[in-house]
Amino acid sequence: EAGVAQSPRYKIIEKRQSVAFWCNPISGHATLYWYQQILGQGPKLLIQFQNNGVVDDSQLPKDRFSAERLKGVDSTLKIQPAKLEDSAVYLCASSSPLGEGSYGYTFGSGTRLTVV
Amino acid sequence: GNSVTQMEGPVTLSEEAFLTINCTYTATGYPSLFWYVQYPGEGLQLLLKATKADDKGSNKGFEATYRKETTSFHLEKGSVQVSDSAVYFCALMKTTGKLIFGQGTTLQVKP
């Protein structure tokens, strides 16, 4: 089966600019996650969707980050305006069913964002 | 709250040496535990998992045992290869499916 698709693979922007990342999960996976991985750290969950509803966005900096999953399939994560500390790899993952991620939890290759 | 602590790296070993990467966790209840690996230039891959106390996860010669009494999930391999050089992440999973990762341990294996 096809994996989790993410684009772009790399992005360089200046601070205060905006950027958007796209994720297409594995077909049929109801749960979609966005993680942020800062260099030298483990990934941290930003937001979790179940179909097109938000399950957890407690660590999403809502003043600058937003995410949506219209139609419960692919998802977009946006940063506006970007700060230097947003430089990181943004990982998308999907799983099914909710809570049993170990049986289908798959990560995409990520988008590496550099803010200069 | 829930958290995962790993030994700091980098860990540098010679080929065929024994590997241990320590991992301890703090959690409410009994989470599932995982080891993920990230090879250079690649994405995160599940290495092994354990879902309850005393379970042993194993894959590709790596093993880890879920120790409830010591809240640990140490990763071991009897004989490492150069191809095992990567960053290893210990993680726990909450019932919602959220993964909480440790900071990662870099393993460098020299021929």
Side-chain angles (χ1 to χ4, degrees):
Chain A
E1 66 180 358
V4 174
Q6 290 189 247
S7 67
R9 190 65 191 274
Y10 304 94
K11 191 73 176 179
I12 301 174
I13 62 171
E14 296 182 349
K15 59 184 179 184
R16 290 186 291 273
Q17 285 188 324
S18 62
V19 64
F21 313 126
W22 175 82
C23 172
N24 190 27
I26 290 176
S27 178
H29 278 193
T31 311
L32 184 148
Y33 314 80
W34 283 102
Y35 286 84
Q36 179 193 56
Q37 186 177 12
I38 293 172
L39 185 65
Q41 299 181 19
K44 180 185 76 173
L45 182 71
L46 291 176
I47 189 167
Q48 176 182 347
F49 292 95
Q50 171 71 5
N51 295 311
N52 60 352
V54 175
V55 174
D56 184 347
D57 64 356
S58 57
Q59 295 189 281
L60 185 74
K62 298 181 185 64
D63 57 334
R64 298 183 301 105
F65 286 64
S66 64
E68 60 184 12
R69 192 185 183 197
L70 300 176
K71 301 180 182 179
V73 182
D74 55 352
S75 176
T76 303
L77 176 70
K78 297 180 181 178
I79 308 175
Q80 181 179 14
K83 293 185 175 181
L84 295 176
E85 59 260 36
D86 298 331
S87 294
V89 176
Y90 291 85
L91 296 166
C92 181
S94 68
S95 73
S96 182
L98 175 66
E100 294 185 22
S102 61
Y103 299 102
Y105 215 114
T106 305
F107 282 88
S109 298
T111 295
R112 182 177 298 277
L113 173 67
T114 302
V115 183
V116 297
Chain B
N2 299 308
S3 65
V4 176
T5 302
Q6 293 180 231
M7 64 186 288
E8 290 197 18
V11 174
T12 303
L13 296 173
S14 297
E15 209 165 20
E16 299 183 2
F18 185 86
L19 169 71
T20 299
I21 300 178
N22 291 336
C23 170
T24 57
Y25 67 91
T26 302
T28 52
Y30 301 104
S32 295
L33 300 175
F34 301 82
W35 278 100
Y36 278 85
V37 60
Q38 194 168 40
Y39 297 103
E42 298 185 17
L44 274 172
Q45 300 175 27
L46 177 64
L47 181 59
L48 54 84
K49 63 176 173 68
T51 57
K52 60 183 187 296
D54 300 325
D55 265 4
K56 178 184 283 188
S58 62
N59 186 28
K60 299 181 180 180
F62 291 89
E63 292 183 341
T65 302
Y66 191 138
R67 300 288 188 197
K68 185 179 67 173
E69 62 276 10
T70 53
T71 62
S72 65
F73 193 55
H74 305 322
L75 183 68
E76 297 182 336
K77 187 176 186 182
S79 176
V80 294
Q81 305 300 312
V82 172
S83 57
D84 293 326
S85 297
V87 181
Y88 291 82
F89 293 93
C90 184
L92 66 83
M93 180 179 283
K94 297 179 62 174
T95 54
T96 59
K98 174 182 179 179
L99 282 169
I100 296 173
F101 289 87
Q103 74 271 30
T105 303
T106 299
L107 170 65
Q108 299 173 341
V109 181
K110 298 186 174 182

